[in-house]
Amino acid sequence: MTTKDIVKIALFAALTAALGLFPPIDLPVLGAKITAQSLGVMLAGALLGARRGGLALLLFVALVAAGLPLLAGGRGGLGVLLGPSGGFIFAFPLAAFVTGWLLARLSPDASILLGLAALILGGIGVIYALGIPWLSVVAKLPLQKAAIGAMAFLPGDLIKAVITLLIARAVRRAYPAL
Amino acid sequence: MFAPFRPGSSWLHRARPATKLLALAAAGTGLFLIESPALMSALAALALALFPLSGLPLQAAAAQLRPVALLGALIVLVQAFVGGPETALLVGARLVALLLLAGLITLTTRTQDMINTLERALRPLARFGVNPARGALALSLAVRFIPITAQIVADVREAQRVRGLENNILALTVPTIIRALRLTDEVADAIEARGFDPEKGTS
């Protein structure tokens, strides 16, 4: 691991924090707002790969735990991590790792839909797989009910997977030396 | 920085961050082993009492609960119907206790002390091939990069506003990421110029 790798890991931790500052995207039909923050998770995996991307998000979670208000809406500290939605945040590093790992397994000329599937599996599947059971334990809800509750975020997350794909392609074109 | 730390000299302020984190981990696990709503409510009240006992105002306790208030209220309401009032009380009181205890530690520990503790916690990982000096470098770099990337976001948004693109997520993120990546090359060169050896992780 070179110094450049360490700097990029630190940068993507900071970028994930900066994405929390973006104005929330309105979903007019559903009446829900989606934040740009989880873009950081998928982008780190897509642009830095499994190892560096996972470490970048591990660093991000460590900084949130240390008390910095880096989560969307200015939240931070141990309370948010131990709260009902803590599992969704703890899943960030693994989600970035799995996203990067899956994308690395695709051949360079694989269809765009396969890339999207990797982003959805890594960036959404892993986060829900950890977040929903956590919510179920903290809120003492049956797993099924917790899952139904989390589904409110699924449309927004799917949109984010598509946006990540577009951002990752544009960034790679402008900055190929990742 | 902008951390929610509140200066003070109470016993909790003076306690070592590592001790506080271990105590929180133990308490967090313990709270999930208790099934009695009455005992849980008493523990939540105890957690609340720890605020004045650590020289913190009760408003600070309320501020800890606010970010999760809506979701918490929803959970308690659902529980009242699904699991009955006793379960609703148990879950609600547990949530309050958990959030207050975690908040106590965030409020009484300087972010820098917390980061130093994280760095120390990395040291035993050296035998598994994790280099603690690199971890420490990444932590301190990220803390430096946060205000810098926030500034880049503000600059890019300003530039795109002129073009009427300030709400276009692609027009905001792509230039932000590219500008930030160009910065990393300079920073990495500067770090190595000062003698940081990435192989050894020392300088």
Side-chain angles (χ1 to χ4, degrees), chain A residues 1 4-16 37-62 89-104 122-123 127 172 178, chain B residues 138 181:
Chain A
M1 192 169 279
K4 271 201 175 67
D5 290 328
I6 300 171
V7 177
K8 286 196 177 108
I9 288 167
L11 180 82
F12 269 79
L15 267 176
T16 307
Q37 190 144 60
S38 52
L39 284 177
V41 180
M42 289 189 257
L43 277 171
L47 291 172
L48 293 186
R51 196 172 134 84
R52 291 181 301 168
L55 287 171
L57 269 299
L58 192 63
L59 188 54
F60 175 78
V61 174
I89 298 157
F90 276 121
F92 282 0
L94 187 64
F97 183 90
V98 173
T99 305
W101 188 85
L102 286 173
L103 285 172
I127 289 183
R172 273 188 192 288
L178 274 161
Chain B
L181 280 170

Side-chain angles (χ1 to χ4, degrees), chain B:
Chain B
M1 245 175 114
F2 41 80
F5 170 70
R6 278 172 181 259
S9 56
S10 74
W11 60 281
L12 206 51
H13 283 88
R14 290 194 309 268
R16 290 180 48 212
T19 315
K20 287 190 265 192
L21 285 171
L22 287 176
L24 177 67
T29 313
L31 286 175
F32 280 94
L33 300 175
I34 294 167
E35 290 291 327
S36 151
L39 180 56
M40 192 60 78
S41 308
L43 289 172
L46 183 67
L48 185 64
L50 285 174
F51 275 76
L53 288 173
S54 319
L56 296 165
L58 285 175
Q59 291 98 293
Q64 291 305 310
L65 300 176
R66 211 167 293 133
V68 196
L70 199 66
L71 182 57
L74 186 70
I75 288 170
V76 170
L77 199 69
V78 170
Q79 277 302 351
F81 285 104
V82 177
E86 293 238 316
T87 316
L89 180 62
L90 175 70
V91 170
R94 183 189 285 151
L95 199 55
V96 169
L98 215 50
L99 292 172
L100 289 180
L101 289 176
L104 276 171
I105 291 171
T106 305
L107 289 168
T108 60
T109 315
R110 259 189 208 87
T111 302
Q112 193 53 53
D113 292 341
M114 203 79 101
I115 290 172
N116 292 343
T117 304
L118 287 174
E119 284 177 12
R120 268 199 302 278
L122 286 172
R123 269 180 221 163
L125 295 176
R127 72 186 65 161
F128 301 108
V130 177
N131 188 321
R134 288 183 196 166
L137 175 66
L139 269 169
S140 55
L141 276 175
V143 172
R144 272 300 290 131
F145 279 150
I146 289 161
I148 296 172
T149 48
Q151 186 58 48
I152 296 176
V153 170
D155 291 347
V156 169
R157 194 184 283 171
E158 191 57 45
Q160 300 294 37
R161 184 169 296 142
V162 181
R163 305 185 178 106
L165 293 171
E166 74 267 26
N167 285 320
N168 181 322
I169 187 88
L170 284 178
L172 291 175
T173 47
V174 174
T176 299
I177 294 169
I178 292 167
R179 272 197 211 185
L181 280 170
R182 296 224 166 97
L183 188 75
T184 58
D185 296 333
E186 292 167 33
V187 173
D189 289 344
I191 292 168
E192 287 190 351
R194 285 176 196 179
F196 181 83
D197 182 346
E199 293 309 312
K200 293 201 199 102
T202 55
S203 59

